[in-house]
Amino acid sequence: MRTAADVADAATVLALLPGDGRVALVDSRFVGHRHSLRLTLADPRWPAAAAPGVVAVRTPAARTALSRAVMRSRTVDGVAEQSAAQLAGDDGALVRPERGGLVAAVPEDALARAKAADAVAAVDEEKARLRAAVKSRDGFFTTFLISPYSRYLARWCARRGLTPNQVTTASLATAVLAAGCAATGTRGGFAAAGVLLLLSFVLDCTDGQLARYSLQYSTLGAWLDATFDRAKEYAFYAGLALGAANADGDDVWALALGAMVLQTCRHVVDFAFNESIAGTAAAAGGTAPPRGAAGENNSPAFALSERLDRLGWTVWLRRMIVLPIGERWALIAVLTAVTSPRVVFVVLLVGMGLAGSYTTAGRVLRSLRRRVPRSEQALKALDELTDTGPLAEAAARSLRAPARSLPVYAAPAVAAGGGALLVTLALLTPYGTWWPLIGAVGYVLTSGFAVSRPLAGPLDWLVPPVFRAAEYTAVLVLAARSEVNGALPAAFGLVAAVAYHHYDTVYRIRGGTGAPPRPVVRVIGGHEGRTLAVTVAAALLTGTGFTIALVALAVAVALVVLTESIRFWVSSGAPAVHDETGEPA
């Protein structure tokens, strides 16, 4: 720590400090809680952060900006606050972390200093720190039935030196154990599986709370938390399917795969809609509103949502309706313990279907009144979310000219038409014929047509979830209609591998690094290439040959995407952003 006598001295000290690492300016008059300082100085997520009397920077670019801001400051008293204001005005990248009631102040005189000291004494720092460890916006089940005690478990872990990554791994191990118990097919196994799944969720909440309590954020940790949630849920689905077979020979693999398909498509709807409105305010030359898309305030759906938000109980009700992870896992755990796997999946499919319909309808209604042009950032994100392979890319190039004259809603309509044709032919024509393959060829062409121009229309964000639904459902239908032993479990593995790739794409886009490299997308075929490969296998291969083809494709996709993804997240400094909180539609 070094003390500066004046502005020039502060600038000199900054220039002489090592070029790497975090640098902070703290006003000598600062009064506040120690943890309010930690929130600004020690959080590795922000390139620049500030609180009253404190400004901290982490990246070289932010360091340079801070040096310029110090040189423009008028006096050494208040230099931290003056520099923070200038940093915020330069590029808007400055973050002011929420302090959750903790005090941070720069008193001007002795009386103000005494009042600030009294304010510090009046707040229990440890209680405020525990409150801040819990997400400010979460689902009903998590907020009222998990977080009231999981925060204390997080503190217990912190005091014993445990890291969030260790807790995340424990959560995964517990969920895998729960899946193993469910796979036994016994009543006791199902009851134990339900209890262990709830325990896994408690640990899942604890790892994030531990990260916030101890400020132990990391790229790897965010990626593990995001991907392990999906791995845990899908492993439990597989355990239930195995348990049903072991209990009484009930084959529920189609239901398990259907639940995975519906859940993933629901998430892609949310991801695509949110990415479609990213940067809309900047594109319009304005400032983003606190929630929702820029310009969507004209939407009746938005106005209704705002009115409902004034009634506190409706916020919680709408968060429960969308069946976020807490409510969903609680439902799965209870039903697993007291009913059968078939009942679990049927109830889950109905609940997720209703939740998906609710959220999708809300987003469509908001989009129909959208008036602000889509930003370049949003257009790029939507293009990356389509997961377009080389076949659809070639079709898009040849169809670009006629696509320019189509109506504004043509892209999602064409994509949905091609997907519907594919699934209908796979479902209604005799298995083993060439009709599904003809549908797949049509799907390649319509997919290329849908992406042959930028996805700038009000409903063009629906194109990525339509592609996901078409690919996953086609695999499900062909595997189910083959009636080949092992085809559905193999299809489950294939969709799980592809879904991982799609989730990984979302987390990278949210982290600001963009989608996986185009060569990776091309090697695994893109959504249309994989769909075509599965229909070819269904037409040419009989018996166990089709199952072997699905397993081979699943292994190939998993090897490629996991190898590249692990390499990226282990070596990258970009944040993996994951948040499933039951946001109302």
Side-chain angles (χ1 to χ4, degrees), residues 291 302-316 318 584:
R291 60 178 289 243
F302 181 82
L304 176 61
S305 178
E306 289 293 294
R307 287 196 297 271
L308 290 174
D309 278 351
R310 300 188 187 102
L311 303 174
W313 64 271
T314 66
V315 173
W316 293 114
R318 287 184 292 148

Side-chain angles (χ1 to χ4, degrees), residues 495-510:
V495 173
V498 175
Y500 173 86
H501 165 62
H502 291 144
Y503 279 110
D504 187 52
T505 299
V506 168
Y507 302 145
R508 295 197 198 194
I509 292 173
R510 287 188 166 187

Side-chain angles (χ1 to χ4, degrees), residues 57-131:
V57 296
R58 181 174 59 87
T59 63
R63 176 86 167 265
T64 302
L66 177 62
S67 296
R68 290 197 304 265
V70 169
M71 292 300 296
R72 294 197 299 262
S73 298
R74 296 181 298 277
T75 62
V76 72
D77 288 338
V79 67
E81 197 62 34
Q82 295 170 45
S83 299
Q86 292 179 50
L87 284 174
D90 285 344
D91 55 17
L94 185 77
V95 173
R96 291 186 178 271
E98 292 185 13
R99 299 192 303 276
L102 295 175
V103 176
V106 181
E108 296 291 339
D109 51 38
L111 179 60
R113 189 174 188 84
K115 289 183 178 179
D118 290 341
V120 170
V123 176
D124 188 321
E125 183 172 10
E126 182 59 21
K127 286 184 178 180
R129 190 176 172 187
L130 280 171
R131 285 196 304 270

Side-chain angles (χ1 to χ4, degrees), residues 181-195 236 239-240 243-244 247 333 336-337 339-341:
C181 290
T184 64
T186 63
R187 187 73 268 155
F190 287 140
V195 173
F236 197 80
L240 284 175
T336 297
T339 65
S340 67

Side-chain angles (χ1 to χ4, degrees), residues 275-285 370 372-384 453-456 509 514:
E275 292 305 323
S276 76
I277 61 177
T280 50
R370 180 174 166 271
V372 177
R374 189 156 287 148
S375 69
E376 289 298 322
Q377 174 189 346
L379 291 174
K380 183 175 184 293
L382 289 179
D383 177 65
E384 292 171 336
R453 65 184 186 187
L455 298 177
I509 292 173

Side-chain angles (χ1 to χ4, degrees), residues 411-435:
V414 170
L421 176 65
L422 167 67
V423 173
T424 300
L425 290 176
L427 185 63
L428 300 182
T429 59
Y431 177 80
T433 65
W434 293 98
W435 285 108

Side-chain angles (χ1 to χ4, degrees), residues 5 56 62 77 80 143 158 187 197 215 218 260 298 318 334 352 365 389 392 417 421 439 445 486 504 512 549 571:
D77 288 338
T143 299
R187 187 73 268 155
L197 186 64
L215 299 180
S218 70
M260 187 201 303
N298 296 324
R318 287 184 292 148
V334 171
M352 290 194 299
L365 289 173
L421 176 65
L445 295 175
D504 187 52
S571 62

